[in-house]
C-alpha cells in the first residue's frame, strides 16, 4: 500500500536535485520551467475525472480537495470528516497532488532567471518552492493516513504564495508593469479566498470547497499565464534581433 507513496517521495527528491543541478543551464531549464507551469492548467481536468469516479456523494463546492485523495472508504475516515468518502481514483489524485507540487517548485527555480536578481525575487522563489513542497506533501501523506502531518504539511501552501506574489509584483513593476498588475490582482484573489476560507462573515455561508479551489486555482492560473508571457517575451526578443 505504501509503495506508491515511497515512489512519490523519491520522485520529489530526484526532481529537486535535477532542478538544482540544472539551475545554471538557463536555456535548457527555461523550457522545462515554462512547460511545468503551463501544465498546471491540467490540474482541474484530472480532478474532474477523479470526482466523476467517486462512489460516495462528493460536493466540490463544500468538500476539500484532500477528500479525493483519501485511501479508504467510509465515514470518519479522518478528523473533521464525519461524512462518507469513497474515492476509487485516490491514487491518481495523490499522484496529481505530488506532481503538481513538483512542477510548481521546478518552475519556480527554473524561471527565477527572468526576474530581476535581487533579495525580493530570491525570497519569492524560495516561498514558491515551499508552496510546491507543501502541496507535494498533501499527496505523499493522505489525510486518512496521517491527518496531523497532512495538515501541517499543507498549511504553508495556503499562505506563502501571498508574500511571494507581493514581492514579485514589487520587483517587476518597472520592467514588466502589465505582468506586475496581473500578479497583484492574483494576490488579491488568493488572499481574499484564504480570509473567507478561515473566517466566514456573519450570516453568510461561503462554500469551503470552492474557496479552497479559488485559493489554489488563482495561483495555478497566474503561473500558467506568467509562463506564457515570459515565453512569448523570449520569442519576441529573438525575432527582433
Amino acid at each position: 500500500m505504501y509503495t506508491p507513496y515511497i515512489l512519490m517521495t523519491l520522485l520529489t527528491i530526484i526532481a529537486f536535485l535535477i532542478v538544482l543541478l540544472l539551475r545554471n543551464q538557463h536555456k535548457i531549464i527555461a523550457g522545462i520551467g515554462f512547460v511545468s507551469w503551463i501544465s498546471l492548467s491540467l490540474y482541474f481536468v484530472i480532478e474532474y475525472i477523479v470526482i466523476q469516479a467517486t462512489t460516495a456523494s462528493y460536493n466540490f463546492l463544500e468538500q476539500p480537495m484532500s477528500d479525493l485523495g483519501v485511501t479508504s472508504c467510509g465515514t470518519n475516515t479522518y478528523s473533521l470528516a464525519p461524512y462518507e468518502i469513497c474515492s476509487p481514483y485516490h491514487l491518481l489524485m495523490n499522484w496529481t497532488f505530488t506532481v503538481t507540487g513538483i512542477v510548481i517548485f521546478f518552475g519556480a527555480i527554473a524561471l527565477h532567471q527572468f526576474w530581476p536578481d535581487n533579495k525580493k525575487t530570491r525570497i519569492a522563489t524560495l516561498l514558491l518552492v515551499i508552496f510546491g513542497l507543501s502541496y507535494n506533501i498533501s499527496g505523499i501523506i493522505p489525510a486518512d493516513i496521517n491527518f496531523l502531518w497532512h495538515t501541517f504539511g499543507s498549511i504553508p501552501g495556503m499562505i506563502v504564495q501571498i508574500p511571494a506574489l507581493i514581492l514579485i509584483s514589487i520587483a517587476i513593476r518597472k520592467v514588466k508593469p502589465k505582468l506586475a498588475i496581473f500578479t497583484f490582482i492574483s494576490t488579491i484573489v488568493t488572499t481574499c479566498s484564504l480570509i473567507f476560507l478561515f473566517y466566514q462573515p456573519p450570516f453568510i455561508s461561503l462554500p469551503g470547497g470552492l474557496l479552497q479551489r479559488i485559493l489554489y486555482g488563482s495561483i495555478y492560473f497566474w503561473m500558467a499565464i506568467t509562463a506564457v508571457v515570459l515565453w512569448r517575451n523570449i520569442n519576441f526578443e529573438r525575432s527582433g534581433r
Side-chain angles (χ1 to χ4, degrees):
M1 176 181 177
Y2 293 106
T3 301
Y5 301 99
I6 294 173
L7 292 176
M8 292 177 198
T9 304
L10 291 176
L11 179 62
T12 301
I13 295 171
I14 292 170
F16 195 77
L17 292 175
I18 288 174
V19 72
L20 289 180
L21 289 172
L22 294 177
R23 67 185 184 280
N24 294 322
Q25 304 296 320
H26 292 167
K27 289 184 179 180
I28 296 174
I29 203 171
I32 302 174
F34 293 140
V35 174
S36 293
W37 275 11
I38 292 172
S39 69
L40 288 167
S41 57
L42 297 174
Y43 171 83
F44 288 107
V45 175
I46 299 174
E47 186 187 69
Y48 175 78
I49 294 172
V50 177
I51 291 174
Q52 293 304 303
T54 56
T55 55
S57 178
Y58 181 87
N59 188 338
F60 79 95
L61 293 176
E62 299 291 344
Q63 290 180 244
M65 296 152 70
S66 294
D67 283 2
L68 297 171
V70 169
T71 63
S72 55
C73 293
T75 56
N76 296 305
T77 53
Y78 68 90
S79 302
L80 306 180
Y83 44 84
E84 185 181 6
I85 296 175
C86 194
S87 179
Y89 285 9
H90 61 267
L91 192 56
L92 172 60
M93 195 70 248
N94 288 324
W95 269 110
T96 302
F97 288 149
T98 301
V99 174
T100 297
I102 290 173
V103 298
I104 287 172
F105 73 65
F106 205 108
I109 296 173
L111 301 183
H112 174 80
Q113 61 183 291
F114 298 102
W115 308 131
D117 188 19
N118 54 44
K119 186 176 180 179
K120 292 185 181 67
T121 57
R122 287 193 290 271
I123 293 174
T125 296
L126 175 61
L127 291 173
L128 291 178
V129 169
I130 293 172
F131 174 66
L133 290 173
S134 176
Y135 203 95
N136 186 276
I137 290 173
S138 66
I140 294 175
I141 309 175
D144 63 317
I145 299 299
N146 192 311
F147 180 70
L148 187 63
W149 282 106
H150 175 87
T151 303
F152 283 162
S154 301
I155 287 176
M158 304 179 76
I159 301 169
V160 294
Q161 77 277 15
I162 296 173
L165 293 193
I166 292 173
L167 289 171
I168 289 173
S169 62
I170 293 173
I172 66 172
R173 68 186 187 281
K174 293 182 179 179
V175 292
K176 296 179 174 65
K178 291 182 180 179
L179 185 57
I181 293 172
F182 173 60
T183 303
F184 183 70
I185 292 172
S186 299
T187 306
I188 293 174
V189 173
T190 191
T191 302
C192 289
S193 61
L194 178 64
I195 292 172
F196 289 138
L197 184 62
F198 286 99
Y199 173 74
Q200 294 285 330
F203 312 113
I204 300 177
S205 179
L206 298 175
L210 179 61
L211 287 172
Q212 187 188 36
R213 286 170 171 82
I214 293 174
L215 172 69
Y216 291 118
S218 59
I219 303 302
Y220 299 163
F221 184 68
W222 174 81
M223 288 180 169
I225 296 300
T226 297
V228 171
V229 170
L230 296 176
W231 201 343
R232 289 186 62 185
N233 286 346
I234 286 181
N235 292 333
F236 179 77
E237 291 172 1
R238 288 174 178 172
S239 63
R241 291 177 182 175

